[in-house]
Amino acid sequence: MATGTLGLDSSLREYLLRVSVDETEAQRQLRAETASLPNAVMQISPEQGQFMRLLVELTGASRAIEVGTFTGYSALSVALALPADGRLVACDISEEYTRIGQKYWQQAGVSERIDLRIGPAIESLDQLLDDGEAANFDFAFIDADKPNYRAYYERCLELLRPGGLLAVDNVLWGGSVANPDDERPETAAIRALNDHIRQDERVSQSLVPIGDGVMLARKH
Ligand code: CA
């Protein structure tokens, strides 16, 4: 589901990858290592990694937040696009998975740019707010446990500067957001956040159907 793009057949996806994705060696190896793990579908697709690199460049971001790092492919993509003195605060609960990423962050020469915080992300984000970091970030990516999406969204929005960009992953949830019979809590939480963003006057938004769907919200 997340390792490709919904609704693209394999030959068209092959073409898209060929003409638009240039992965670094570290990204390629990290993706290969992650593919062998039982939770491999949690990794974003290479076309989405490419897209996020471009988003970071477009926003001129130097300070970024990630909620949900897993094995570190998205963090690596973001960090590659940050300036040398840029910083990504990466939040995750798993030492085991993030350790895989750290190896490749090192290999890519961007580990200095990544400030990994292990623990419940709500606590890490609240800590940033307590440290006076509100409105100090340019870019945020949310890709963690879905029932907490709204809580992550509210905190990230506070941490973003006006004009900052928020990207929320898996907002199409394999297509199940459009299936009224799907009442799983994850699906309900994603639907609720999508609906909330649609009417949230603090942001302008666009849902981009890349990967498993990425909601972009720009803070006014
Ligand atoms: Ca995801």
Side-chain angles (χ1 to χ4, degrees):
M1 136 172 100
T3 51
T5 282
L6 283 175
L8 272 192
D9 68 33
S10 57
S11 61
L12 191 52
R13 173 145 187 275
E14 194 64 32
Y15 176 81
L16 178 152
L17 291 175
R18 185 156 49 80
V19 299
S20 71
V21 174
D22 37 37
E23 274 187 315
T24 63
E25 187 56 24
Q27 283 178 297
R28 200 189 58 72
Q29 288 180 21
L30 171 49
R31 198 157 55 79
E33 181 169 344
T34 305
S36 64
L37 298 174
N39 287 340
V41 294
M42 284 170 63
Q43 174 167 253
I44 65 164
S45 65
E47 62 268 40
Q48 185 177 335
Q50 182 82 22
F51 180 59
M52 287 173 55
R53 284 169 70 177
L54 185 64
L55 291 178
V56 171
E57 288 180 22
L58 283 170
T59 52
S62 64
R63 303 204 66 202
I65 311 169
E66 174 175 82
V67 180
T69 296
F70 187 45
T71 62
Y73 186 90
S74 49
L76 177 55
S77 303
V78 167
L80 284 166
L82 289 172
D85 63 349
R87 286 292 174 273
L88 169 67
V89 175
C91 307
D92 203 279
I93 49 168
S94 171
E95 299 215 18
E96 184 193 349
Y97 285 135
T98 52
R99 196 176 299 128
I100 296 171
Q102 283 176 299
K103 194 167 52 179
Y104 296 98
W105 300 344
Q106 206 106 45
Q107 180 183 327
V110 299
S111 55
E112 299 275 281
R113 298 178 200 169
I114 302 175
D115 172 1
L116 177 63
R117 307 209 178 172
I118 300 292
I122 288 179
E123 290 174 17
S124 301
L125 297 171
D126 282 343
Q127 186 62 55
L128 288 170
L129 289 166
D130 285 349
D131 293 345
E133 297 274 23
N136 270 348
F137 288 84
D138 310 295
F139 179 79
F141 178 57
I142 298 175
D143 185 16
D145 53 307
K146 311 314 172 198
N148 277 320
Y149 258 26
R150 176 66 186 271
Y152 299 144
Y153 172 81
E154 292 300 334
R155 286 163 177 79
C156 286
L157 207 54
E158 254 189 273
L159 289 163
L160 282 178
R161 64 167 167 85
L165 185 69
L166 181 63
V168 186
D169 199 33
N170 301 108
V171 295
L172 294 178
W173 205 226
S176 54
V177 285
N179 172 8
D181 296 330
D182 190 321
E183 291 168 351
R184 289 175 296 169
E186 293 80 10
T187 313
I190 292 167
R191 274 193 205 111
L193 182 61
N194 288 338
D195 290 341
H196 175 68
I197 292 174
R198 171 75 178 77
Q199 50 82 44
D200 188 345
E201 290 180 349
R202 298 170 296 174
V203 299
S204 41
Q205 79 288 330
S206 177
L207 197 171
V208 181
I210 191 169
D212 192 30
V214 178
M215 181 70 89
L216 298 181
R218 181 182 184 268
K219 182 176 176 176
H220 292 151

